[in-house]
């Protein structure tokens, strides 16, 4: 049995989505964030020393990192992995890493700077500039294509869904400014497996 340690309103939502797309049996253990700090509760540290989500338990192995979890699930079950054509395959590897490696860091920086209130004000504009630089690139990549690696949904799309959803909550007029990203997210949200994952994971602030 697969166990997903799932923090509310977090990256681990996309692991539930992949598990639903794969039609696998799994158990969700849901954790609430601390209402003041928004950090994960201490119970998660009992499962893994980093205390962050997602954490997957499978066949007595406990492991972390969304990209690694999704790549190994895709590989083991022979679906949603890299496409066979070499261009699509390169894009798959690129976006599996890009989501956490390049797109999320400025979004996280904005979250921190906003928490600082007045102290963080001077940093908001430059960080917003970094975010828009990434989003302009992503918008261009999605123009004329349904999914990041070709005609079919892959794990790379699922990896990209979370930072793009989170960007929507931090950037005003996100949907109007980036119509290809908006259409991409609508396609993600319309999938029955995405909706089933939402039902399994509980309330999720970013699917609107
Ligand atoms: N790169 C890691 C990031 C893990 C991570 O930072 N998870 C966040 C969830 S969005 C978390 O657990 N935050 C709560 C905390 O830091 O206490 C991954 O993709 O799995």
């Amino acid at each position: 049995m697969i166990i997903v340690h799932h923090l509310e309103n977090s990256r681990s939502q996309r692991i539930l989505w992949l598990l639903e797309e794969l039609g696998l049996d799994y158990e969700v253990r849901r954790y609430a964030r601390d209402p003041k700090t928004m950090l994960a509760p201490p119970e998660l540290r009992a499962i893994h020393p980093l205390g962050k989500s997602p954490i997957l338990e499978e066949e007595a192995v406990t492991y972390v990192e969304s990209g690694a979890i999704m790549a190994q699930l895709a590989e083991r079950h022979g679906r949603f992995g890299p496409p066979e054509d070499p261009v699509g395959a390169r894009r798959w590897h690129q976006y599996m890493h890009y989501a956490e490696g390049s797109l999320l860091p400025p979004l996280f920086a904005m979250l921190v700077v906003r928490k600082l209130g007045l102290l963080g004000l001077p940093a908001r504009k430059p960080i917003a500039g970094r975010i828009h630089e990434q989003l302009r690139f992503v918008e261009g990549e999605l123009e004329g294509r349904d999914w990041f690696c070709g005609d079919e949904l892959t794990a790379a799309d699922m990896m990209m869904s979370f930072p793009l959803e989170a960007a929507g909550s931090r950037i005003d007029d996100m949907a109007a400014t980036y119509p290809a990203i908006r259409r991409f997210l609508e396609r993600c949200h319309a999938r029955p497996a995405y909706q089933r994952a939402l039902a399994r994971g509980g309330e999720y602030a970013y699917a609107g």
Side-chain angles (χ1 to χ4, degrees):
M1 168 67 95
I2 296 172
I3 300 171
V4 188
H5 295 275
H6 168 60
L7 181 65
E8 64 178 354
N9 293 324
S10 82
R11 292 157 162 89
S12 49
Q13 188 61 43
R14 57 195 169 179
I15 307 295
L16 307 186
W17 181 15
L18 176 57
L19 289 166
E20 286 294 335
E21 292 282 358
L22 289 169
L24 297 176
D25 226 12
Y26 62 98
E27 179 187 328
V28 182
R29 297 201 186 148
R30 188 174 195 268
Y31 302 80
R33 289 179 185 269
D34 180 301
K36 273 207 186 112
T37 62
M38 299 309 282
L39 294 176
E43 296 95 278
L44 264 185
R45 281 189 205 277
I47 315 292
H48 188 279
L50 294 178
K52 294 197 183 296
S53 156
I55 305 170
L56 208 87
E57 281 185 55
E58 194 182 13
E59 293 168 359
V61 181
T62 301
Y63 65 108
V64 294
E65 278 304 326
S66 323
I69 292 171
M70 294 188 90
Q72 96 61 53
L73 283 171
E75 186 185 325
R76 278 184 59 152
H77 297 280
R79 294 177 65 205
F80 306 109
E84 288 201 349
D85 74 284
V87 174
R90 287 193 189 98
R91 292 178 69 88
W92 188 89
H93 288 286
Q94 175 177 292
Y95 286 108
M96 288 298 286
H97 289 273
Y98 171 82
E100 287 289 321
S102 295
L103 185 50
L104 260 160
L107 292 167
F108 182 68
M110 185 61 103
L111 186 78
V112 173
V113 153
R114 282 202 175 157
K115 277 195 199 307
L116 292 176
L118 283 182
L119 210 61
L121 265 187
R124 285 195 192 188
K125 204 171 165 197
I127 294 175
R130 298 282 176 97
I131 294 175
H132 283 292
E133 184 177 46
Q134 300 289 337
L135 292 176
R136 278 193 299 274
F137 163 69
V138 174
E139 176 76 10
E141 289 286 281
L142 280 172
E143 268 160 21
R145 48 162 71 82
D146 281 357
W147 304 109
F148 278 98
C149 309
D151 296 336
E152 302 289 333
L153 171 77
T154 70
D157 299 294
M158 299 178 212
M159 279 300 289
M160 287 295 287
S161 65
F162 176 73
L164 294 176
E165 288 170 338
S169 72
R170 272 156 230 175
I171 300 286
D172 297 334
D173 291 336
M174 167 85 188
T177 317
Y178 300 107
I181 294 177
R182 176 175 52 79
R183 286 193 297 274
F184 167 76
L185 288 176
E186 284 168 358
R187 271 191 290 280
C188 295
H189 298 166
R191 293 196 60 98
Y194 184 98
Q195 293 299 325
R196 287 197 302 276
L198 279 186
R200 290 291 305 270
E203 205 179 316
Y204 179 62
Y206 303 127

